């Protein structure tokens, strides 16, 4: 757990997942419902398992249905996707999505990651690319499809305030409420 950085707990409370930046790994623990104590279960390390793209992993999120785990790697400019066994907590490599491959842009130094409340989309901030990248998510496999990247000074991100807001973007979160109830459209 050298430089443990992010932690996520499964909705059932039985497992915890932790990124270890300096060990290039994600560590899985089983969790006691009685006292919250953690017991080591497995470690998936960059290059040791078929999962590449976890050099200095940082961001970590479980999908809302708890079937997938997504990990960002600032060094590899990548998001690594794992399927998750709900009974054992074990992770299995699904894919790696990398900046500059298959039309993906905006993953220059991905830092944080979040899913939409419905689990249909994944949002990734990129601290070195001043960007927020959007992927659609296959709910059966967890696999990602690139949708768009909003980058500082590029595409629709043109206002001076928004450019300042995206400079060194390092976190993202979802909101499962829509207070005004309205449809949100781009204003240019």
């Amino acid at each position: 757990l050298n430089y443990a950085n992010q932690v996520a707990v499964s909705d059932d409370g039985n497992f915890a997942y932790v990124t270890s930046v300096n060990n290039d790994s994600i560590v899985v623990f089983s969790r006691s419902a009685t006292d919250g104590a953690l017991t080591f279960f497995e470690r998936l390390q960059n290059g040791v398992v078929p999962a590449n793209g976890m050099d200095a992993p940082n961001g970590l999120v479980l999908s809302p249905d708890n079937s997938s785990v997504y990990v960002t790697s600032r060094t590899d400019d990548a998001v690594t996707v794992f399927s998750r066994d709900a009974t054992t907590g074990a992770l299995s490599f699904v894919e790696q999505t990398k900046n500059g491959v298959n039309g993906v842009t905006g993953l220059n130094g991905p830092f944080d990651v979040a899913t939409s409340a419905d689990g249909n989309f994944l949002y990734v901030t990129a601290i070195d690319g001043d960007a927020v990248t959007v992927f659609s998510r296959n709910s059966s496999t967890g696999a990602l499809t690139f949708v768009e990247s909003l980058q500082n000074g590029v595409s629709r991100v043109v206002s001076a305030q928004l450019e300042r807001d995206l400079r060194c973007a390092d976190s993202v979160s979802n909101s499962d409420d829509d207070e005004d109830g309205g449809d949100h459209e781009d204003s240019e």
Side-chain angles (χ1 to χ4, degrees), residues 63 65 67-70 81-84 92-95 136-145:
S63 60
D65 63 5
S67 67
S68 302
V69 174
Y70 299 90
V81 181
F82 296 95
S83 62
R84 179 183 169 272
S92 299
F93 177 77
V94 172
E95 70 176 2
S136 62
R137 178 182 168 270
N138 180 311
S139 59
S140 297
T141 66
L144 300 176
T145 301

CSV table of all heavy atoms in Angstrom, one decimal, residues 63 65 67-70 81-84 92-95 136-145:
chain,number,residue,atom,x,y,z
A,63,SER,N,-18.9,0.9,-10.3
A,63,SER,CA,-20.1,1.3,-11.0
A,63,SER,C,-21.2,1.2,-10.0
A,63,SER,O,-21.2,0.5,-9.0
A,63,SER,CB,-20.3,0.3,-12.2
A,63,SER,OG,-20.4,-1.0,-11.7
A,65,ASP,N,-23.9,-0.4,-10.1
A,65,ASP,CA,-24.4,-1.7,-9.9
A,65,ASP,C,-23.4,-2.6,-9.3
A,65,ASP,O,-23.6,-3.8,-9.0
A,65,ASP,CB,-24.9,-2.3,-11.2
A,65,ASP,CG,-23.8,-2.5,-12.3
A,65,ASP,OD1,-22.6,-2.2,-12.0
A,65,ASP,OD2,-24.2,-2.8,-13.4
A,67,SER,N,-20.8,-3.9,-10.4
A,67,SER,CA,-20.3,-5.0,-11.3
A,67,SER,C,-18.9,-4.7,-11.9
A,67,SER,O,-18.3,-5.6,-12.4
A,67,SER,CB,-21.3,-5.3,-12.4
A,67,SER,OG,-21.4,-4.3,-13.3
A,68,SER,N,-18.5,-3.4,-11.9
A,68,SER,CA,-17.3,-3.0,-12.5
A,68,SER,C,-16.5,-2.1,-11.6
A,68,SER,O,-17.1,-1.3,-10.8
A,68,SER,CB,-17.6,-2.3,-13.8
A,68,SER,OG,-18.3,-3.1,-14.7
A,69,VAL,N,-15.2,-2.1,-11.8
A,69,VAL,CA,-14.3,-1.1,-11.1
A,69,VAL,C,-13.4,-0.5,-12.2
A,69,VAL,O,-12.9,-1.1,-13.1
A,69,VAL,CB,-13.4,-1.9,-10.1
A,69,VAL,CG1,-12.3,-0.9,-9.5
A,69,VAL,CG2,-14.2,-2.5,-9.0
A,70,TYR,N,-13.3,0.9,-12.1
A,70,TYR,CA,-12.6,1.7,-13.0
A,70,TYR,C,-11.4,2.4,-12.3
A,70,TYR,O,-11.6,2.9,-11.2
A,70,TYR,CB,-13.5,2.7,-13.6
A,70,TYR,CG,-14.6,2.1,-14.4
A,70,TYR,CD1,-15.8,1.8,-13.8
A,70,TYR,CD2,-14.4,1.7,-15.7
A,70,TYR,CE1,-16.8,1.2,-14.5
A,70,TYR,CE2,-15.5,1.1,-16.4
A,70,TYR,CZ,-16.6,0.8,-15.8
A,70,TYR,OH,-17.7,0.2,-16.5
A,81,VAL,N,-10.3,-1.1,-16.8
A,81,VAL,CA,-11.6,-1.6,-16.5
A,81,VAL,C,-11.5,-3.0,-16.0
A,81,VAL,O,-10.9,-3.9,-16.6
A,81,VAL,CB,-12.6,-1.6,-17.7
A,81,VAL,CG1,-14.0,-2.1,-17.3
A,81,VAL,CG2,-12.6,-0.2,-18.3
A,82,PHE,N,-12.2,-3.3,-14.8
A,82,PHE,CA,-12.2,-4.6,-14.2
A,82,PHE,C,-13.7,-5.0,-14.0
A,82,PHE,O,-14.5,-4.2,-13.7
A,82,PHE,CB,-11.5,-4.7,-12.9
A,82,PHE,CG,-10.1,-4.4,-12.9
A,82,PHE,CD1,-9.6,-3.1,-12.7
A,82,PHE,CD2,-9.2,-5.5,-13.1
A,82,PHE,CE1,-8.2,-2.9,-12.7
A,82,PHE,CE2,-7.8,-5.2,-13.2
A,82,PHE,CZ,-7.3,-3.9,-12.9
A,83,SER,N,-14.0,-6.3,-14.2
A,83,SER,CA,-15.3,-6.8,-13.8
A,83,SER,C,-15.1,-7.2,-12.4
A,83,SER,O,-14.0,-7.6,-11.9
A,83,SER,CB,-15.8,-7.9,-14.7
A,83,SER,OG,-14.9,-9.0,-14.6
A,84,ARG,N,-16.2,-7.3,-11.6
A,84,ARG,CA,-16.1,-7.6,-10.2
A,84,ARG,C,-17.1,-8.7,-9.9
A,84,ARG,O,-18.3,-8.6,-10.2
A,84,ARG,CB,-16.5,-6.3,-9.4
A,84,ARG,CG,-16.5,-6.5,-7.9
A,84,ARG,CD,-16.9,-5.3,-7.2
A,84,ARG,NE,-17.1,-5.6,-5.8
A,84,ARG,CZ,-18.3,-6.1,-5.3
A,84,ARG,NH1,-19.3,-6.2,-6.0
A,84,ARG,NH2,-18.4,-6.4,-4.0
A,92,SER,N,-11.4,-9.0,-12.4
A,92,SER,CA,-10.9,-9.6,-13.6
A,92,SER,C,-10.8,-8.5,-14.6
A,92,SER,O,-11.7,-7.7,-14.8
A,92,SER,CB,-11.8,-10.7,-14.1
A,92,SER,OG,-12.0,-11.7,-13.2
A,93,PHE,N,-9.6,-8.5,-15.3
A,93,PHE,CA,-9.3,-7.5,-16.3
A,93,PHE,C,-10.3,-7.6,-17.4
A,93,PHE,O,-10.6,-8.6,-18.0
A,93,PHE,CB,-7.9,-7.6,-16.8
A,93,PHE,CG,-7.5,-6.7,-17.9
A,93,PHE,CD1,-7.2,-5.4,-17.7
A,93,PHE,CD2,-7.5,-7.1,-19.2
A,93,PHE,CE1,-6.9,-4.5,-18.7
A,93,PHE,CE2,-7.1,-6.3,-20.3
A,93,PHE,CZ,-6.8,-5.0,-20.0
A,94,VAL,N,-10.9,-6.4,-17.9
A,94,VAL,CA,-11.8,-6.3,-19.0
A,94,VAL,C,-11.0,-5.6,-20.2
A,94,VAL,O,-11.0,-6.2,-21.3
A,94,VAL,CB,-13.1,-5.6,-18.7
A,94,VAL,CG1,-13.9,-5.3,-19.9
A,94,VAL,CG2,-13.8,-6.3,-17.6
A,95,GLU,N,-10.5,-4.4,-19.9
A,95,GLU,CA,-9.9,-3.7,-21.0
A,95,GLU,C,-9.1,-2.5,-20.4
A,95,GLU,O,-9.3,-2.1,-19.3
A,95,GLU,CB,-10.9,-3.2,-22.0
A,95,GLU,CG,-11.8,-2.1,-21.5
A,95,GLU,CD,-12.8,-1.5,-22.5
A,95,GLU,OE1,-12.8,-2.0,-23.7
A,95,GLU,OE2,-13.5,-0.6,-22.2
A,136,SER,N,-19.4,6.3,-22.6
A,136,SER,CA,-20.6,5.5,-22.3
A,136,SER,C,-20.1,4.2,-21.8
A,136,SER,O,-19.0,3.7,-22.1
A,136,SER,CB,-21.5,5.3,-23.6
A,136,SER,OG,-20.8,4.6,-24.6
A,137,ARG,N,-20.9,3.6,-21.0
A,137,ARG,CA,-20.5,2.3,-20.3
A,137,ARG,C,-21.5,1.2,-20.7
A,137,ARG,O,-22.7,1.4,-20.6
A,137,ARG,CB,-20.6,2.6,-18.8
A,137,ARG,CG,-20.2,1.4,-18.0
A,137,ARG,CD,-20.3,1.7,-16.5
A,137,ARG,NE,-20.3,0.4,-15.8
A,137,ARG,CZ,-21.3,-0.3,-15.4
A,137,ARG,NH1,-22.6,0.1,-15.7
A,137,ARG,NH2,-21.2,-1.4,-14.8
A,138,ASN,N,-20.9,0.1,-21.1
A,138,ASN,CA,-21.7,-1.1,-21.4
A,138,ASN,C,-22.1,-1.7,-20.0
A,138,ASN,O,-21.2,-2.2,-19.3
A,138,ASN,CB,-20.9,-2.1,-22.3
A,138,ASN,CG,-21.7,-3.3,-22.6
A,138,ASN,OD1,-22.3,-4.0,-21.8
A,138,ASN,ND2,-21.7,-3.6,-23.9
A,139,SER,N,-23.3,-1.8,-19.7
A,139,SER,CA,-23.7,-2.3,-18.4
A,139,SER,C,-23.5,-3.8,-18.2
A,139,SER,O,-23.4,-4.3,-17.1
A,139,SER,CB,-25.2,-1.9,-18.0
A,139,SER,OG,-26.0,-2.4,-19.0
A,140,SER,N,-23.4,-4.5,-19.3
A,140,SER,CA,-23.2,-5.9,-19.2
A,140,SER,C,-21.8,-6.3,-19.0
A,140,SER,O,-21.4,-7.2,-18.2
A,140,SER,CB,-23.7,-6.6,-20.5
A,140,SER,OG,-25.1,-6.5,-20.6
A,141,THR,N,-20.9,-5.6,-19.7
A,141,THR,CA,-19.4,-5.9,-19.7
A,141,THR,C,-18.6,-4.9,-18.9
A,141,THR,O,-17.5,-5.2,-18.5
A,141,THR,CB,-18.8,-6.1,-21.1
A,141,THR,OG1,-18.9,-4.8,-21.7
A,141,THR,CG2,-19.6,-7.1,-21.9
A,142,GLY,N,-19.1,-3.7,-18.7
A,142,GLY,CA,-18.3,-2.6,-18.1
A,142,GLY,C,-17.4,-1.9,-19.1
A,142,GLY,O,-16.8,-0.9,-18.8
A,143,ALA,N,-17.3,-2.4,-20.4
A,143,ALA,CA,-16.5,-1.8,-21.4
A,143,ALA,C,-16.9,-0.4,-21.7
A,143,ALA,O,-18.1,0.0,-21.5
A,143,ALA,CB,-16.5,-2.6,-22.6
A,144,LEU,N,-15.9,0.4,-22.1
A,144,LEU,CA,-16.1,1.9,-22.3
A,144,LEU,C,-16.1,2.2,-23.8
A,144,LEU,O,-15.3,1.6,-24.6
A,144,LEU,CB,-15.1,2.7,-21.6
A,144,LEU,CG,-15.0,2.5,-20.1
A,144,LEU,CD1,-13.8,3.3,-19.5
A,144,LEU,CD2,-16.3,2.9,-19.4
A,145,THR,N,-16.9,3.2,-24.2
A,145,THR,CA,-16.9,3.7,-25.5
A,145,THR,C,-16.7,5.2,-25.4
A,145,THR,O,-17.5,5.9,-24.7
A,145,THR,CB,-18.2,3.4,-26.3
A,145,THR,OG1,-18.4,2.0,-26.4
A,145,THR,CG2,-18.2,4.0,-27.7
